[in-house]
Each structure stands twice: as C-alpha cells, then as structure tokens.
Amino acid sequence: MDISEIRIRLLENQRDMLRAFASLTIENCLVIRDIKVIEGPTGLFVAMPSRKLMDRCPECGGKNPLRARFCNECACPLESERGERDVRGRPRLYADIAHPIHQAARDVVQGAILAAYRAEFERSQQEGYVAQSFDDLDYHAYEEAEIGG
Ligand SMILES: [Zn+2]
C-alpha cells in the first residue's frame, strides 16, 4: 500500500481528546477522510471514520442511536443495553466506514498518520503557520459526543 498523501487539520483549544482530523490518500486513487487523531490515556491513536449504529423504537419504529435512552420520535423510554457487544463485552455503538483489514495495515496507517500529525504540530509552532485546507469539510458539524465509543 502506497500512501500518497496525508493531510492534517489540527484542532486547537479542544476540551475533549480530539486533536486533529486527517485525510489519507492511497496510491493517488482513493481518499479516506474524517480520520481522527485522538489523545487517549495511553497516548495518541487514530480512529477511522465511523457512523453511529442505530436501531428502531419498539413503539413507533423511529430510528435512534443505540446509546439513546428515550426515543427521538415518541419519547418512550428505551432499553439501556441494546445492540451487540464487542469481544471485550463493551457495547458496539459505532461501525467503521473504512478501516484497515489486518494489524499490519493498521500499524502502517496509524504510524503514518501520527507521524504526519507530529510534523504538522511542529509546523504549527512556527511563526506564519497556515493550516492546511480541506476545502469542503465542515468541522463545526461534528458533535463532541461523536468522539467516544
Ligand atoms: Zn418511538
């Protein structure tokens, strides 16, 4: 796998653990966006783009995130432990949209993105730094609550 380009958009003054968004271009052919660089308790890690898993309300059929305690449509209470569990027994609330298939690929992707993040962070400490542009992505649309899971 030849990584052609990585773009890093640093996020400043975050109250949460999200440090940057990244986009990854593979072999000048495929771009993966919405990759997150997150500062976890044991250091930086990369989270692939994901979507919230949803299910349907038993009362009205409305769609709700698995973490919702009340239906968005009819406000009836929902069971608190819904959906599947992962291998560690934690609820699966998100599903990756794009992700490396095996550990070796995961290591390559994460290593490259974290290296690019650190380089971008270094640049940002210098005078006259201009953040890289991601043209059409609207970062304000992200909810802070999306980062966990
Ligand atoms: Zn409902």
Side-chain angles (χ1 to χ4, degrees), residues 1 3 24 26 30 32 35 46-49 96-111 113:
M1 178 174 62
I3 296 176
L24 175 74
I26 299 164
L30 182 68
I32 301 171
I35 300 168
V46 167
M48 296 304 288
D96 284 350
I97 292 168
H99 62 91
I101 288 171
H102 48 69
Q103 189 62 41
R106 183 170 292 276
D107 291 345
V108 167
V109 166
Q110 174 152 297
I113 289 172

Side-chain angles (χ1 to χ4, degrees), residues 57-62 64 71-76 78:
C57 169
E59 295 296 321
C60 74
N64 296 287
C71 176
N72 290 326
E73 302 283 332
C74 73
C76 79
L78 299 170

Side-chain angles (χ1 to χ4, degrees), residues 76-129:
C76 79
L78 299 170
E79 265 181 67
S80 58
E81 309 267 311
R82 312 198 305 284
E84 293 171 25
R85 310 236 135 210
D86 67 15
V87 287
R88 283 180 279 183
R90 299 183 309 183
R92 279 192 71 219
L93 302 174
Y94 298 85
D96 284 350
I97 292 168
H99 62 91
I101 288 171
H102 48 69
Q103 189 62 41
R106 183 170 292 276
D107 291 345
V108 167
V109 166
Q110 174 152 297
I113 289 172
L114 292 184
Y117 167 79
R118 292 193 174 100
E120 189 70 17
F121 185 80
E122 285 287 305
R123 274 196 290 278
S124 76
Q125 302 301 300
Q126 288 157 24
E127 239 174 275
Y129 170 75

